């Protein structure tokens, strides 16, 4: 497997969340992830991108969300970043059921954590948030080494 | 989205993706019927739903929270396996009743009224 990288830069609009999911589903399929793993990748990306728009940019359009994919021999790395309001206390924000919006469930980070092998959140108030997630390829289990 | 109202019961057959884009439309569709038509039982058929994330789950849980104090309830039917997996992780099936079919959802609780 050659190294590969893709970057998707898009406006902070709700309809772009589906496009981000389509991209990760295509890349996941090309990497031969099982269907189940592709579903998980879609949820993780959907949560990270939705957070950037809903929380980072407070639902306002006219801002930019960046999704970067890096593929190497053994892993797919997804980085979603915004230049929005930032998170004052990342540890607290990542607690299950914690949300600053009473209408929401506070499960976004829970889903990202359960569906990815690694999750890292880097945030600075008034500067923005970068969420990076890794899913291992585990190709040795299914295909012979090439 | 396909809609049917019968005796204070709203049946919605949802399709596509339940995410932050579609969540708001769904919320309004249900809340309107609760407020205007005094709907007290909401049945959501998820057979044609392809994707759900925490924004979609949040709308369902939110409608449950709105209906309970009104003496109402929400029922979910025909959930595809991969959608159910996400719902399970959220704990929703512990709170909301799931049914195999619309008929089963309609039947249950009718005698109690
Ligand atoms: N990109 C972001 N920018 C600013 N705040 C964020 C961002 N992502 C998450 N948060 C904060 O972390 C909290 C928890 O996020 P999450 O687990 O996805 O739950 P929810 O989206 O349901 O609130 C959010 O309520 C929000 O306060
Ligand atoms: Mg979220």
């Amino acid at each position: 497997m050659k190294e590969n990288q893709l970057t998707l830069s898009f406006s902070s609009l709700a309809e772009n969340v589906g496009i981000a999911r389509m991209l990760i589903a295509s890349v996941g399929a090309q990497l031969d992830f099982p269907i189940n793993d592709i579903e998980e990748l879609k949820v993780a990306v959907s949560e990270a991108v939705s957070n950037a728009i809903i929380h980072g940019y407070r639902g306002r359009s006219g801002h930019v969300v960046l999704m970067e994919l890096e593929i190497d021999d053994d892993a797919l790395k997804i980085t979603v970043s915004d230049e929005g309001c930032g998170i004052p206390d990342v540890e607290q924000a990542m607690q299950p059921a914690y949300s600053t919006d009473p209408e929401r469930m506070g499960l976004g980070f829970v889903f990202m954590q359960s569906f990815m092998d690694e999750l890292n959140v880097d945030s600075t108030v008034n500067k923005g948030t970068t969420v990076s997630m890794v899913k291992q390829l585990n190709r040795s289990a299914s295909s012979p080494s090439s | 989205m396909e809609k049917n109202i019968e005796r204070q019961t709203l049946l919605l057959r949802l399709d596509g993706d339940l995410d932050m884009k579609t969540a708001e439309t769904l919320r309004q569709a249900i809340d309107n019927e609760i407020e205007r038509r005094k709907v007290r039982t909401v049945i959501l058929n998820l057979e044609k739903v392809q994707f759900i994330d925490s924004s979609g789950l949040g709308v369902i849980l939110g409608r449950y929270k709105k209906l309970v104090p009104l003496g109402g309830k929400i029922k979910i039917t025909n959930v595809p396996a991969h959608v159910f997996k996400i719902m399970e992780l959220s704990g929703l099936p512990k709170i909301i009743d799931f049914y195999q079919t619309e008929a089963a959802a309609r039947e249950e609780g009718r005698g109690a009224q």
Side-chain angles (χ1 to χ4, degrees), chain A residues 46-48 50-52 54-55 99 104 106-109 112, chain B residues 54-55:
Chain A
S46 202
E47 298 296 346
S50 299
N51 277 353
I54 297 169
H55 303 298
S99 180
R104 300 188 56 81
L107 288 181
F109 283 128
M112 289 182 242
Chain B
S54 73
S55 297

Side-chain angles (χ1 to χ4, degrees), chain B residues 80-93:
Chain B
H82 70 279
V83 171
F84 187 75
K85 236 196 66 188
I86 311 294
M87 298 184 115
E88 211 171 16
L89 198 59
S90 77
L92 209 67

Side-chain angles (χ1 to χ4, degrees), chain B residues 5-10 37-42 113:
Chain B
I5 303 182
E6 209 179 286
R7 287 188 290 145
Q8 294 197 317
T9 297
L10 167 68
R37 316 266 291 258
K38 305 274 178 284
V39 155
R40 291 299 175 260
T41 301
V42 175
Q113 301 253 277

